Amino acid sequence: MSPKNNLPSLKEAQDQMASFVAAYKPSKSVERIEIKIDPVDMLSWLSLQTDDVKIYGSNQSDTVSIAGIGQAVCLTDIRLGNFRKIFKQLRHSLSPKYPYLQWYGGFCFDERHPDDDWEEFGAYRFVIPRFELAAQNGKMIFCCNLAGSVNIKGVLRQLAAIRSDLPSRPEGCKDSLNTTILRRSDQPDQGLWKKDVDHILNDKSVEKVVLARKTSLNFKQAPDPWTMMRQLKAVTPNSYYFAFQFKKTVFLGASPERLYRRYQRSIESEALAGTMPESTDPKVLQNSDKNKHEHAFVVDAINGSFKEFCTVFSRDKQPGILTLANGHHLITKFQGQLKDGINDEDILQFLHPTPALGGTPRDQAMDIIRKLEGFSRGWYGAPIGYVGLDWAEFVVGIRSGLVRGKRLSVFAGAGIVEGSDAASEWDEVENKISNFIKIIQ
């Protein structure tokens, strides 16, 4: 039976979709089939599917979200090349005919430091899912994306294999990860961390370096990343949520930081740097010379970028306070109008990485990061988001972790500036990964 609102169930929409797919004629552009459906729980849906590619994303208010499986089109490489070529290819597949059609993906933080853990992600990877659920303000559509001389019989088999027998979720139900931590390791450990911090403080070629740590947790059983995503959302409200599964590896997180959002010629960005635990009075953060100093580097860098690519722009006169589940942050918001000829490739070239994730001066800070960290950041700290016909949004891939089988690697960093203390910065990183620790214990 159909729901009372007369919208088809997901299963009914799959049956309807099959006839549309069977009628598809080869096309050079991406063709998209959309069916309005009675909403379903996206994370439960993703958890049931067996596809090698799964994608999830949600905005801060959880009013807009997407879930995708499979891939109709994929753009990836082990080398970055240049942003201009990448975005030209992304734009080529988009059309006013399908305003909800978007690419989803991201870039690596530093292509000069690859790692086997991130092999499937490449220097960049963007996907248009084969099948997609898209929701906005409580309304949902089920979509199929087709391109080129696709094997229709194969697509129909994929469609038939989609699980739509979602379990009911009683109000207040809390999924369990059912995990037991066997061991934990930190790279670097606390002793090496202190040496690295001292090295940065003694290096007069840099004013700030963001030093990251990789904390690996090995479990008795492989955790379900979609249950992990649900629990992460529960403990980190007001964040940008993302998850990308390529083969058996899943990168997921709840980022508080938007790199930029562009709609037509309007752009928004924000400086987010300077952190204290939630138990601290926010006024202490606002009056902290060390944190104000750290924040100012990011503000100055974004300000300089906006001067280059905007005709006019404005920013908050004073940093505000962003309070999240595990701490307070200094935040300064920017908005502006882009110059003619400035596109996403130019914006990313200017903004990434900001001193909130790299340091200043940028090149010298990046050299130190490569020398000291000893692991690949992969997509941690990098631009992750979506690209539409005349809009794009990228968040910074922080407060994030990588799930590979029975191991979860959690990444977090701290800005090392004059006045930094190694023990305090270690505690700051520990606080930043606490959301992951909270949901698995």
Side-chain angles (χ1 to χ4, degrees), residues 21 29 38 96 100 117 120-121 123 155 211 243 248 280 323 342 424:
V21 171
S29 61
D38 193 47
Y100 297 116
D117 278 358
E120 301 303 329
F121 292 75
V155 176
L211 188 63
K248 301 301 181 185
T280 307
T323 297
I342 294 291
S424 297

Side-chain angles (χ1 to χ4, degrees), residues 168-176 230:
S168 60
R169 290 184 51 77
E171 194 70 30
C173 171
K174 183 178 179 181
D175 292 332
S176 170
R230 187 189 304 283

Side-chain angles (χ1 to χ4, degrees), residues 262-279:
R262 178 187 66 81
Y263 182 75
Q264 297 177 350
R265 307 311 296 162
S266 298
I267 183 171
E268 301 171 51
S269 184
E270 59 197 33
L272 190 71
T275 304
M276 281 191 173
E278 190 185 15
S279 57

